[in-house]
Amino acid sequence: MEQDTRNVIIIGSGPSGLTAAVYAARANLAPLVIEGFEAGGQLMLTTEVENYPGFVDGIMGPELMEQMRKQAARFGAEYLSENVTSVDFSASPFEIHLSGSSFRAHAVIIATGAQAKMLGIPGEKELLGRGVSTCATCDGFFFRDQELIVVGGGDSALEEAIFLTKFASKVTVVHRRGELRASKIMRDRAFANPKIDFVWNSTVSEVYGDQKVAGAHLLNLETGETSSIEVGGVFVAIGHLPSTSLFEGQIDLAEGYISIPSDDTQTTVPGVFAAGDVVDFRYRQAITAAGMGCMAAIDAERYLEAQHTHA
Ligand code: NAP
């Protein structure tokens, strides 16, 4: 059976995937974006984005994604609202399987992103973007002079707590054990910060509030005692899960993230590139993801040119 073979297939449709699509489309590569059933990535779960350059008054996350999507479509990007079920990168052209169809591609850009781990407690989902956040860099600014909770005991939790003290009047770190997982330098910095308090051996059992966060219920895991604190925001910083299960055994991963062995965006399989939060566990910003998407499209274009496979 003759398979549909494309120049470039982009898997994922957050800022990195869609920026790759804009660049690949403008390079006449007619990219196919397999955007997934839940298109748009993490920005679909945010409200106001104030740190994406070019939008002086800010822009809503879903609106920003819609603009990027239309921008790539204008230059010929094609979209499929389906999930990839498996890939075969063992030979070029690479194979990409969906539930009812398959494609082949001379180059692939993986932009499947990552998801912040959530606590799965009442109020968390309902108040996400209304006081519940997974990104202090993105949302800290909205919490001037308010009291906040950060959940977690790793480097991310302490980094977020320290950053939030620039805005908040007080930050309470709630950790499920009596000992932090974070590195010594971060622990020392957090302990020395007069605005940071710790609640040990405890977990947040519920976030409450009408329209926006008003407080949280805590549960002491050792004593079973419950308590409540009034806060304007709850930052969940218990780690991230990169979306890489599709690629296990096909390309190298490191701690779940896609490995990029060189200083470009090529994975351990030549012709397969990766960009955004599926690679980057450090910055995790829409603008850095978009920047990497641009890099991946340029790398893919140069790769195809060197292979003379550009249709
Ligand atoms: P992490 O190191 O895996 O820490 C996750 C924290 O969340 C742990 O303290 C864990 O508790 C807690 N946790 C996990 N699931 C939970 C749940 N369901 N309920 C309550 N608490 C829960 O993740 P991370 O802090 O995001 O860091 C990821 C990696 O990036 C690490 O290697 C870290 O060193 C690195 N990083 C470095 C920096 C820096 O150097 N500046 C900054 C950020 C991240 P337990 O401790 O009990 O398991």
Side-chain angles (χ1 to χ4, degrees):
M1 189 179 76
E2 180 91 351
Q3 261 181 344
D4 190 347
T5 304
R6 304 295 179 113
N7 296 314
V8 182
I9 288 185
I10 298 166
I11 309 175
S13 56
S16 58
L18 293 183
T19 305
V22 170
Y23 274 77
R26 292 190 79 257
N28 274 337
L29 293 172
L32 172 66
V33 182
I34 303 177
E35 58 183 351
F37 291 123
E38 288 178 29
Q42 293 181 76
L43 279 191
M44 300 304 279
L45 305 174
T46 28
T47 51
E48 187 99 37
V49 178
E50 289 191 328
N51 56 7
Y52 200 90
F55 299 94
V56 68
D57 298 318
I59 182 166
M60 299 303 274
E63 168 69 11
L64 178 59
M65 297 325 298
E66 184 55 26
Q67 293 290 336
M68 285 191 197
R69 195 176 184 280
K70 283 187 185 154
Q71 190 176 354
R74 190 182 139 208
F75 299 111
E78 198 186 322
Y79 296 93
L80 256 185
S81 299
E82 283 193 60
N83 284 342
V84 172
T85 52
S86 66
V87 297
D88 184 349
F89 294 159
S90 58
S92 175
F94 308 114
E95 288 191 19
I96 293 177
H97 303 284
L98 317 182
S99 59
S101 57
S102 291
F103 290 89
R104 298 203 302 173
H106 295 296
V108 174
I109 297 174
I110 300 170
T112 46
Q115 281 185 322
K117 285 192 206 163
M118 302 300 288
L119 294 161
I121 53 168
E124 181 182 48
K125 225 186 207 161
E126 298 83 338
L127 293 164
L128 190 66
R130 296 188 167 82
V132 174
S133 171
T134 56
C135 177
T137 314
C138 318
D139 299 331
F141 190 77
F142 300 119
F143 295 92
R144 205 167 276 282
D145 298 325
Q146 298 191 39
E147 294 197 11
L148 301 173
I149 283 176
V150 172
V151 187
D155 280 325
S156 295
L158 297 194
E159 194 170 70
E160 303 244 312
I162 293 164
F163 178 77
L164 288 169
T165 59
K166 290 180 200 228
F167 312 100
S169 52
K170 182 180 164 193
V171 177
T172 303
V173 175
V174 179
H175 182 37
R176 65 181 176 183
R177 292 187 297 133
E179 199 184 329
L180 294 169
R181 177 178 295 279
S183 54
K184 184 174 184 314
I185 182 164
M186 297 300 283
R187 291 197 308 259
D188 289 348
R189 270 190 219 156
F191 289 143
N193 191 312
K195 282 190 179 177
I196 298 180
D197 264 3
F198 288 85
V199 174
W200 302 105
N201 302 307
S202 297
T203 181
V204 174
S205 55
E206 181 174 354
V207 186
Y208 62 85
D210 180 26
Q211 302 297 322
K212 63 187 184 69
V213 169
H217 298 307
L218 308 187
L219 169 68
N220 186 309
L221 297 168
E222 281 198 325
T223 63
E225 270 173 51
T226 56
S227 59
S228 299
I229 37 179
E230 285 181 15
V231 287
V234 175
F235 285 77
V236 180
I238 59 172
H240 286 77
L241 284 178
S243 305
T244 50
S245 53
L246 273 177
F247 312 111
E248 275 170 22
Q250 300 281 334
I251 51 177
D252 285 3
L253 305 177
E255 291 187 32
Y257 290 84
I258 293 178
S259 291
I260 301 292
S262 196
D263 60 359
D264 53 16
T265 61
Q266 186 157 267
T267 68
T268 46
V269 173
V272 177
F273 304 85
D277 287 14
V278 75
V279 177
D280 166 31
F281 48 82
R282 185 163 299 146
Y283 303 105
R284 296 191 187 114
Q285 301 301 300
I287 186 67
T288 49
M292 284 182 79
C294 157
M295 290 159 63
I298 292 174
D299 289 341
E301 185 193 348
R302 291 183 182 158
Y303 166 85
L304 291 174
E305 217 156 270
Q307 307 284 310
H308 300 291
T309 46
H310 179 174

Short mmCIF file of all heavy atoms in Angstrom, two decimals, residues 151-155 157-158 173-184 186-188 190-191 198-202 221-222:
data_model
loop_
_atom_site.label_atom_id
_atom_site.label_comp_id
_atom_site.label_asym_id
_atom_site.label_seq_id
_atom_site.Cartn_x
_atom_site.Cartn_y
_atom_site.Cartn_z
N VAL A 151 3.45 24.04 47.02
CA VAL A 151 3.45 22.64 47.40
C VAL A 151 4.63 21.94 46.77
O VAL A 151 4.86 22.05 45.56
CB VAL A 151 2.15 21.93 46.94
CG1 VAL A 151 2.09 20.52 47.52
CG2 VAL A 151 0.92 22.71 47.34
N GLY A 152 5.41 21.20 47.57
CA GLY A 152 6.55 20.44 47.05
C GLY A 152 7.78 20.67 47.90
O GLY A 152 7.83 21.63 48.69
N GLY A 153 8.76 19.77 47.75
CA GLY A 153 9.97 19.90 48.55
C GLY A 153 11.24 19.78 47.72
O GLY A 153 12.33 19.61 48.26
N GLY A 154 11.11 19.88 46.40
CA GLY A 154 12.27 19.77 45.51
C GLY A 154 12.84 21.14 45.14
O GLY A 154 12.38 22.17 45.65
N ASP A 155 13.81 21.14 44.23
CA ASP A 155 14.43 22.40 43.80
C ASP A 155 13.40 23.34 43.17
O ASP A 155 13.44 24.55 43.39
CB ASP A 155 15.54 22.13 42.78
CG ASP A 155 16.82 21.70 43.46
OD1 ASP A 155 17.11 22.19 44.56
OD2 ASP A 155 17.54 20.85 42.89
N ALA A 157 10.18 23.62 43.80
CA ALA A 157 9.32 24.23 44.81
C ALA A 157 10.05 25.39 45.50
O ALA A 157 9.48 26.47 45.69
CB ALA A 157 8.89 23.19 45.83
N LEU A 158 11.31 25.17 45.85
CA LEU A 158 12.05 26.24 46.55
C LEU A 158 12.37 27.40 45.62
O LEU A 158 12.31 28.57 46.02
CB LEU A 158 13.31 25.68 47.19
CG LEU A 158 13.07 24.63 48.28
CD1 LEU A 158 14.34 24.40 49.08
CD2 LEU A 158 11.94 25.02 49.23
N VAL A 173 5.64 27.02 52.33
CA VAL A 173 5.96 25.80 51.58
C VAL A 173 5.38 24.62 52.34
O VAL A 173 5.70 24.41 53.51
CB VAL A 173 7.49 25.63 51.42
CG1 VAL A 173 7.82 24.30 50.73
CG2 VAL A 173 8.07 26.79 50.63
N VAL A 174 4.50 23.88 51.66
CA VAL A 174 3.88 22.70 52.29
C VAL A 174 4.54 21.47 51.68
O VAL A 174 4.48 21.25 50.47
CB VAL A 174 2.35 22.68 52.02
CG1 VAL A 174 1.72 21.44 52.65
CG2 VAL A 174 1.70 23.95 52.55
N HIS A 175 5.19 20.68 52.54
CA HIS A 175 5.91 19.49 52.03
C HIS A 175 5.42 18.25 52.76
O HIS A 175 5.20 18.26 53.97
CB HIS A 175 7.42 19.69 52.23
CG HIS A 175 8.23 18.56 51.70
ND1 HIS A 175 7.90 17.87 50.55
CD2 HIS A 175 9.37 17.97 52.17
CE1 HIS A 175 8.80 16.92 50.34
NE2 HIS A 175 9.69 16.96 51.30
N ARG A 176 5.31 17.15 51.99
CA ARG A 176 4.69 15.94 52.55
C ARG A 176 5.60 15.17 53.51
O ARG A 176 5.14 14.27 54.20
CB ARG A 176 4.23 15.02 51.43
CG ARG A 176 5.34 14.46 50.56
CD ARG A 176 4.76 13.59 49.47
NE ARG A 176 5.80 13.12 48.56
CZ ARG A 176 5.56 12.39 47.48
NH1 ARG A 176 4.32 12.07 47.16
NH2 ARG A 176 6.55 12.00 46.70
N ARG A 177 6.90 15.51 53.53
CA ARG A 177 7.81 14.84 54.47
C ARG A 177 8.41 15.87 55.42
O ARG A 177 8.11 17.05 55.35
CB ARG A 177 8.94 14.14 53.70
CG ARG A 177 8.45 12.96 52.90
CD ARG A 177 9.59 12.20 52.27
NE ARG A 177 10.35 12.98 51.31
CZ ARG A 177 11.68 13.05 51.27
NH1 ARG A 177 12.41 12.40 52.16
NH2 ARG A 177 12.29 13.77 50.35
N GLY A 178 9.32 15.39 56.30
CA GLY A 178 9.95 16.28 57.26
C GLY A 178 11.31 16.76 56.79
O GLY A 178 12.05 17.44 57.53
N GLU A 179 11.65 16.41 55.56
CA GLU A 179 12.98 16.71 55.02
C GLU A 179 12.82 17.10 53.55
O GLU A 179 12.05 16.45 52.83
CB GLU A 179 13.78 15.41 55.10
CG GLU A 179 15.26 15.55 55.03
CD GLU A 179 15.89 14.14 55.02
OE1 GLU A 179 15.30 13.23 55.63
OE2 GLU A 179 16.92 13.99 54.39
N LEU A 180 13.55 18.12 53.13
CA LEU A 180 13.43 18.57 51.74
C LEU A 180 14.25 17.69 50.81
O LEU A 180 15.31 17.19 51.18
CB LEU A 180 13.91 20.02 51.62
CG LEU A 180 13.06 21.06 52.35
CD1 LEU A 180 13.77 22.40 52.39
CD2 LEU A 180 11.70 21.22 51.66
N ARG A 181 13.76 17.54 49.58
CA ARG A 181 14.51 16.84 48.55
C ARG A 181 15.49 17.80 47.87
O ARG A 181 16.48 17.37 47.27
CB ARG A 181 13.51 16.29 47.51
CG ARG A 181 14.12 15.61 46.33
CD ARG A 181 13.02 15.08 45.41
NE ARG A 181 12.24 14.05 46.06
CZ ARG A 181 12.63 12.77 46.15
NH1 ARG A 181 13.76 12.38 45.62
NH2 ARG A 181 11.87 11.89 46.76
N ALA A 182 15.24 19.08 47.97
CA ALA A 182 16.02 20.10 47.23
C ALA A 182 17.49 20.10 47.63
O ALA A 182 17.87 19.64 48.71
CB ALA A 182 15.41 21.47 47.50
N SER A 183 18.33 20.66 46.74
CA SER A 183 19.77 20.74 46.98
C SER A 183 20.08 21.68 48.15
O SER A 183 19.26 22.54 48.50
CB SER A 183 20.46 21.26 45.71
OG SER A 183 19.85 22.47 45.32
N LYS A 184 21.29 21.52 48.72
CA LYS A 184 21.65 22.28 49.91
C LYS A 184 21.60 23.78 49.65
O LYS A 184 21.10 24.55 50.47
CB LYS A 184 23.04 21.86 50.39
CG LYS A 184 23.43 22.56 51.68
CD LYS A 184 24.73 22.06 52.25
CE LYS A 184 25.06 22.69 53.58
NZ LYS A 184 24.91 24.12 53.67
N MET A 186 19.78 25.50 47.63
CA MET A 186 18.40 26.00 47.59
C MET A 186 17.78 25.97 48.98
O MET A 186 17.05 26.89 49.36
CB MET A 186 17.56 25.17 46.61
CG MET A 186 18.03 25.24 45.18
SD MET A 186 18.01 26.91 44.50
CE MET A 186 16.27 27.11 44.20
N ARG A 187 18.08 24.92 49.73
CA ARG A 187 17.55 24.83 51.10
C ARG A 187 18.05 26.01 51.92
O ARG A 187 17.28 26.69 52.61
CB ARG A 187 18.01 23.53 51.78
CG ARG A 187 17.39 22.29 51.19
CD ARG A 187 17.56 21.11 52.14
NE ARG A 187 18.91 20.87 52.60
CZ ARG A 187 19.73 19.92 52.13
NH1 ARG A 187 19.32 19.13 51.15
NH2 ARG A 187 20.94 19.76 52.62
N ASP A 188 19.37 26.27 51.84
CA ASP A 188 19.97 27.37 52.61
C ASP A 188 19.31 28.70 52.26
O ASP A 188 19.01 29.51 53.14
CB ASP A 188 21.48 27.45 52.36
CG ASP A 188 22.20 26.27 53.00
OD1 ASP A 188 21.56 25.55 53.81
OD2 ASP A 188 23.40 26.05 52.69
N ALA A 190 16.34 29.21 50.96
CA ALA A 190 14.94 29.27 51.39
C ALA A 190 14.85 29.47 52.90
O ALA A 190 14.05 30.28 53.38
CB ALA A 190 14.21 28.00 50.96
N PHE A 191 15.71 28.76 53.67
CA PHE A 191 15.67 28.88 55.13
C PHE A 191 16.05 30.31 55.56
O PHE A 191 15.59 30.81 56.57
CB PHE A 191 16.60 27.87 55.79
CG PHE A 191 16.09 26.44 55.71
CD1 PHE A 191 16.97 25.38 55.52
CD2 PHE A 191 14.74 26.15 55.83
CE1 PHE A 191 16.50 24.06 55.44
CE2 PHE A 191 14.26 24.84 55.75
CZ PHE A 191 15.15 23.79 55.56
N PHE A 198 7.65 27.07 56.55
CA PHE A 198 7.45 25.68 56.13
C PHE A 198 6.39 25.00 56.97
O PHE A 198 6.32 25.20 58.18
CB PHE A 198 8.77 24.90 56.26
CG PHE A 198 9.78 25.29 55.22
CD1 PHE A 198 10.63 26.38 55.43
CD2 PHE A 198 9.88 24.59 54.03
CE1 PHE A 198 11.55 26.76 54.48
CE2 PHE A 198 10.81 24.96 53.07
CZ PHE A 198 11.65 26.05 53.29
N VAL A 199 5.57 24.21 56.32
CA VAL A 199 4.66 23.30 57.04
C VAL A 199 5.10 21.90 56.63
O VAL A 199 5.06 21.53 55.45
CB VAL A 199 3.19 23.55 56.65
CG1 VAL A 199 2.29 22.51 57.30
CG2 VAL A 199 2.75 24.94 57.07
N TRP A 200 5.56 21.11 57.62
CA TRP A 200 6.17 19.81 57.33
C TRP A 200 5.15 18.67 57.43
O TRP A 200 4.12 18.81 58.10
CB TRP A 200 7.31 19.53 58.32
CG TRP A 200 8.37 20.59 58.29
CD1 TRP A 200 8.59 21.56 59.21
CD2 TRP A 200 9.37 20.77 57.26
NE1 TRP A 200 9.66 22.35 58.83
CE2 TRP A 200 10.15 21.89 57.65
CE3 TRP A 200 9.67 20.12 56.07
CZ2 TRP A 200 11.22 22.35 56.88
CZ3 TRP A 200 10.73 20.57 55.30
CH2 TRP A 200 11.50 21.67 55.70
N ASN A 201 5.50 17.56 56.83
CA ASN A 201 4.71 16.32 56.92
C ASN A 201 3.24 16.56 56.60
O ASN A 201 2.36 15.97 57.22
CB ASN A 201 4.83 15.71 58.33
CG ASN A 201 6.28 15.43 58.68
OD1 ASN A 201 6.97 14.77 57.91
ND2 ASN A 201 6.75 15.95 59.81
N SER A 202 3.02 17.45 55.66
CA SER A 202 1.63 17.84 55.39
C SER A 202 1.36 17.93 53.90
O SER A 202 2.27 18.12 53.10
CB SER A 202 1.33 19.21 56.02
OG SER A 202 1.45 19.13 57.42
N LEU A 221 0.09 14.61 57.79
CA LEU A 221 0.09 13.18 57.48
C LEU A 221 0.56 12.33 58.67
O LEU A 221 0.34 11.13 58.70
CB LEU A 221 0.99 12.91 56.26
CG LEU A 221 0.52 13.58 54.97
CD1 LEU A 221 1.60 13.52 53.90
CD2 LEU A 221 -0.77 12.94 54.46
N GLU A 222 1.22 12.96 59.64
CA GLU A 222 1.69 12.21 60.82
C GLU A 222 0.61 12.14 61.89
O GLU A 222 0.38 11.09 62.48
CB GLU A 222 2.94 12.87 61.40
CG GLU A 222 4.18 12.52 60.61
CD GLU A 222 5.45 12.79 61.38
OE1 GLU A 222 5.48 13.78 62.15
OE2 GLU A 222 6.41 12.02 61.19
#
